[in-house]
């Protein structure tokens, strides 16, 4: 069992960068696939990116390709989402999720969720 905790959100201007972190307690994290999702005000939660437990496979949504990079450091029990060239439409609460078996864009398949971190991008 893991309990993700997100950090690194904030208020930035368009074109800036942020790096979100997802930390967990214990070493179980290294056996879980990790996903990042976001939910803008008034909208449904949407998939952003995912990474396999060993870091050997990643997925991301078209709207962030070339701008966002997902990674992980299992020695630190931490996952990351590097966000570059941020746009106002990237503003949302970003959630980290973990799954012991699933790697993909279906939020319902992820077993553990963090509380989220707010990212606001001003124009």
């Amino acid at each position: 069992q893991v309990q993700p905790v997100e950090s690194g959100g904030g208020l930035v201007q368009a074109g800036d960068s942020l790096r979100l972190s997802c930390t967990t307690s214990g070493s179980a994290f290294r056996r879980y696939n990790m996903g990042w999702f976001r939910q803008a005000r008034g909208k449904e939660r949407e998939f952003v990116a995912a990474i396999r437990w060993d870091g050997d496979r990643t997925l991301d949504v078209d709207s962030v390709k070339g701008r966002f990079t997902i990674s992980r450091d299992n020695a630190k029990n931490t996952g990351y989402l590097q966000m570059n060239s941020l746009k106002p439409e990237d503003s949302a609460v970003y959630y980290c999720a973990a799954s012991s078996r699933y790697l993909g864009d279906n939020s319902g398949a992820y077993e553990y969720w963090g509380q989220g971190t707010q990212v606001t991008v001003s124009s």
Side-chain angles (χ1 to χ4, degrees):
Q1 186 172 353
V2 295
Q3 181 54 59
V5 177
E6 305 92 339
S7 62
L11 172 63
V12 297
Q13 294 186 333
D16 285 351
S17 298
L18 278 176
R19 188 177 77 161
L20 304 184
S21 297
C22 175
T23 59
T24 65
S25 59
S27 61
F29 174 75
R30 63 192 63 187
R31 298 193 296 271
Y32 284 76
N33 301 320
M34 182 185 72
W36 284 97
F37 292 78
R38 66 187 180 185
Q39 187 167 18
R41 186 173 299 178
K43 295 187 177 181
E44 293 186 353
R45 189 171 298 186
E46 67 170 352
F47 171 75
V48 177
I51 187 167
R52 204 170 73 174
W53 63 273
D54 58 0
D56 270 2
R57 185 182 177 202
T58 63
L59 305 169
D60 54 35
V61 68
D62 286 347
S63 61
V64 306
K65 283 186 186 298
R67 300 189 299 123
F68 292 10
T69 302
I70 189 171
S71 63
R72 64 192 297 158
D73 185 341
N74 286 342
K76 297 181 178 179
N77 298 321
T78 301
Y80 304 97
L81 185 67
Q82 177 67 43
M83 306 186 296
N84 299 327
S85 302
L86 283 162
K87 304 175 181 180
E89 51 263 43
D90 294 319
S91 297
V93 177
Y94 282 72
Y95 297 91
C96 175
S99 173
S100 59
R101 297 184 178 183
Y102 178 78
L103 180 69
D105 61 2
N106 181 3
S107 62
Y110 287 82
E111 300 147 64
Y112 304 102
W113 290 82
Q115 293 299 308
T117 185
Q118 177 72 48
V119 172
T120 303
V121 185
S122 64
S123 58

